[in-house]
């Protein structure tokens, strides 16, 4: 495959097009503009909300507040006084602000080139960090929740000792964000896999229990909360008829799943639920598409959902799968990661790619040098473009079919 021989567009995206060409492997960092005091406060509150959500018994908070919460509260009070606005009087009141005040609120005035104007930090129904909050909290040199997910998977890979064992363990995590004791009696349960991954699970936290039961979303498999539950931090009853799940945007035409005897259930660590489980549906769609098109690939250990395509000639091609609500933050994350491949396809769900401004904001947040190397697309768009690749297609421009390799079954031979 020759460098720069094809032009790749942003498949499935409106209002944006990115052309491809190979550039040198130079470090390029995205610039989202000079952050104002309101934007800095918004980011600090995102980190506070994320940290407090990791506490198992949020309803038991008493004075003095945890250090990160007290600092954020103090800074918010000072910022409000500078603006001539009445400040929050307590942590529960500040939590309520994070539920109702958007990034565009005069208190924050976060530029839309950084976060979408309607983004909030606490979900109005779930009363937990929004997905946007977790993405904002992962912005910065430490990487926040995303770095935690990568670290956990890196430790798991080291424990597995082989690529195949790690693949099976990672697949188990992605497909089982909640594990019940009864699951261990089902056909196909692998004791060997469970022995390697069980330390990544925790008992269901208090805020996910309502009247002794817990719920699970049938679409994403993540924990859910019913109408009329009690809000963490404030202890108040949450009004409204909506049902919340950590996926936030899932269709639930068939209702919600009840987790019986939740004291016998374990839930995957939050960082893996959001940054491994959520994109897994898109990841499976991508891999099925590659298998069907006869495109060979191998997993890249350093990435959460990253694959390198084989037999691509002189050019290295990677595929990374994401399910991120904030396109600018995704672009900054990718730019600051310095991709090693000549070209990387960034695959996002079709529903995100079709949102007004998603592709445009993603491209605008990338440094010019990387706009040719980071190609935003969708699962269907990826296969279409790879079908036109020289060396991966026949003379008619279509990928010759192949029989996918069988997936190893979990069972007795897992050592």
């Amino acid at each position: 495959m020759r460098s720069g021989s094809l032009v790749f567009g942003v498949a499935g995206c409106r209002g944006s097009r990115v052309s491809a060409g190979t550039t040198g492997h130079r470090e390029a960092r995205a610039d989202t503009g000079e952050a104002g005091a309101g934007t800095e406060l918004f980011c600090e509150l995102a980190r506070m909300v994320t940290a407090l959500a990791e506490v198992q018994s949020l309803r038991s908070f008493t004075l003095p507040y945890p250090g990160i919460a007290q600092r954020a509260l103090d800074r918010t009070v000072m910022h409000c006084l500078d603006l001539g606005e009445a400040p929050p009087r307590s942590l529960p009141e500040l939590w309520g602000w994070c539920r109702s005040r958007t990034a565009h609120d005069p208190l924050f005035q976060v530029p839309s080139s950084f976060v979408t104007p309607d983004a909030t930090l606490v979900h109005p129904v779930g009363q937990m960090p929004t997905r946007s909050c977790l993405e904002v909290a992962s912005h910065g040199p430490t990487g926040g929740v995303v770095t935690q997910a990568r670290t956990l998977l890196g430790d798991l890979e080291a424990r597995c000792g082989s690529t195949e064992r790690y693949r099976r363990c990672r697949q188990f995590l992605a497909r089982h964000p909640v594990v019940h004791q009864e699951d261990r009696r089902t056909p196909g349960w692998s004791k060997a896999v469970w022995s390697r991954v069980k330390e990544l699970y925790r008992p269901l936290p208090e805020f996910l229990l309502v009247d002794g039961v817990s719920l699970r979303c049938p679409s994403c498999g993540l924990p859910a909360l019913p109408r009329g539950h009690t809000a963490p931090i404030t202890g108040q009853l949450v009004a409204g008829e909506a049902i919340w799940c950590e996926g936030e945007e899932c269709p639930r035409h068939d209702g919600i799943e009840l987790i019986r005897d939740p004291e016998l259930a374990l839930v995957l660590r939050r960082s893996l639920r959001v940054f491994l489980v959520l994109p897994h549906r898109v990841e499976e769609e991508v891999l099925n598409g590659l298998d069907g098109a006869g495109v060979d690939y191998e997993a890249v250990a350093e990435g959460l959902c990253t694959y390198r395509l084989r037999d691509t000639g002189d050019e290295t091609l990677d595929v990374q799968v994401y399910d991120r609500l904030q396109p600018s933050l995704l672009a900054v994350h990718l730019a600051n990661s310095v991709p090693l491949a000549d070209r990387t396809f960034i695959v996002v769900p079709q529903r995100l790619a079709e949102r007004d401004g998603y592709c445009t904001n993603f491209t605008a947040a990338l440094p010019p040098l990387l706009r040719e190397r980071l190609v935003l697309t969708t699962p269907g768009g990826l296969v279409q473009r790879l079908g036109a690749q020289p060396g991966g297609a026949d003379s008619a421009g279509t990928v010759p079919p192949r029989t996918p390799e069988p997936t190893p079954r979990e069972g007795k031979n897992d050592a």
Side-chain angles (χ1 to χ4, degrees):
M1 181 181 303
R2 294 182 180 178
S3 171
S5 58
L6 291 175
V7 175
F8 297 86
V10 182
C13 301
R14 293 183 289 188
S16 178
R17 184 173 180 84
V18 180
S19 61
T22 303
T23 63
H25 295 301
R26 289 174 286 182
E27 180 175 358
R29 302 187 70 84
D31 181 12
T32 57
E34 184 178 353
T39 300
E40 293 178 354
L41 177 60
F42 190 79
C43 293
E44 182 172 350
L45 290 176
R47 292 189 291 269
M48 178 204 74
V49 169
T50 300
L52 294 187
E54 289 298 317
V55 179
Q56 291 287 310
S57 184
L58 291 172
R59 300 184 186 95
S60 63
F61 275 174
T62 58
L63 290 170
Y65 297 136
I68 187 172
Q70 187 63 60
R71 288 190 298 272
L73 177 59
D74 293 344
R75 184 169 179 181
T76 303
V77 169
M78 295 302 298
H79 185 65
C80 288
L81 293 176
D82 289 341
L83 296 178
E85 183 171 342
R89 294 166 293 181
S90 63
L91 177 59
E93 187 172 337
L94 178 57
W95 194 268
W97 282 27
C98 294
R99 175 177 179 253
S100 59
R101 296 190 179 229
T102 66
H104 188 62
D105 189 276
L107 180 68
F108 303 121
Q109 296 182 341
V110 179
S112 58
S113 60
F114 183 70
V115 175
T116 52
D118 61 346
T120 59
L121 299 178
V122 175
H123 196 278
V125 176
Q127 288 286 302
M128 282 286 101
T130 60
R131 290 175 55 187
S132 291
C133 175
L134 297 175
E135 292 175 21
V136 172
S138 298
H139 174 70
T142 62
V145 189
V146 173
T147 296
Q148 182 188 86
R150 281 208 178 94
T151 300
L152 293 173
L153 289 179
D155 293 342
L156 173 63
E157 184 179 17
R159 291 197 303 274
C160 288
S162 78
T163 301
E164 178 56 24
R165 282 196 288 266
Y166 173 65
R167 184 197 67 81
R168 295 168 71 174
C169 288
R170 183 185 177 281
Q171 185 179 70
F172 179 92
L173 296 177
R175 294 179 176 178
H176 298 86
V178 178
V179 174
H180 197 277
Q181 185 171 307
E182 292 298 319
D183 295 338
R184 306 179 198 184
R185 302 177 183 177
T186 58
W189 177 269
S190 171
K191 293 182 179 179
V193 169
W194 177 244
S195 68
R196 298 186 182 100
V197 304
K198 62 182 179 181
E199 68 179 58
L200 297 174
Y201 289 82
R202 298 288 185 270
L204 284 171
E206 180 184 354
F207 73 85
L208 290 176
L209 303 179
V210 181
D211 296 329
V213 300
S214 186
L215 301 178
R216 173 169 51 195
C217 173
S219 295
C220 65
L222 296 178
L225 283 172
R227 57 182 65 89
H229 66 276
T230 302
I233 301 289
T234 64
Q236 298 175 344
L237 194 68
V238 177
E241 298 183 352
I243 293 179
W244 167 86
C245 76
E246 287 184 331
E248 294 185 1
E249 302 181 338
C250 296
R252 286 185 288 270
H253 304 300
D254 298 328
I256 206 78
E257 296 179 359
L258 175 65
I259 300 177
R260 302 185 184 276
D261 301 320
E263 68 277 4
L264 302 179
L266 298 173
V267 63
L268 189 63
R269 295 280 291 270
R270 181 189 295 273
S271 61
L272 293 174
R273 298 201 303 267
V274 174
F275 293 109
L276 175 65
V277 175
L278 275 179
H280 182 65
R281 289 175 293 177
V282 183
E283 181 182 12
E284 287 196 323
E285 186 178 355
V286 167
L287 298 185
N288 288 337
L290 293 177
D291 287 337
V295 179
D296 288 321
Y297 55 86
E298 59 184 354
V300 176
E302 295 79 6
L304 284 173
C305 303
T306 303
Y307 297 86
R308 176 150 296 172
L309 305 185
R310 295 171 176 164
D311 302 324
T312 56
D314 297 333
E315 194 174 33
T316 57
L317 299 178
D318 281 358
V319 175
Q320 296 186 19
V321 183
Y322 292 91
D323 190 342
R324 302 281 187 93
L325 299 184
Q326 299 298 329
S328 298
L329 292 182
L330 174 58
V332 172
H333 163 73
L334 293 167
N336 293 343
S337 299
V338 190
L340 298 178
D342 295 315
R343 186 164 304 131
T344 301
F345 296 96
I346 308 301
V347 185
V348 299
Q350 184 76 35
R351 72 178 194 284
L352 293 181
E354 290 178 344
R355 290 183 180 175
D356 290 337
Y358 192 94
C359 299
T360 303
N361 289 338
F362 175 86
T363 304
L366 287 175
L369 286 177
L370 291 184
R371 292 175 187 174
E372 296 181 341
R373 295 176 57 192
L374 298 176
V375 184
L376 191 67
T377 188
T378 62
L382 172 67
V383 173
Q384 291 175 7
R385 277 155 176 74
L386 292 177
Q389 292 277 359
D394 58 19
S395 57
T398 58
V399 179
R402 73 173 176 87
T403 302
E405 297 179 2
T407 301
R409 297 178 57 87
E410 296 178 4
K412 299 179 181 179
N413 294 329
D414 183 23

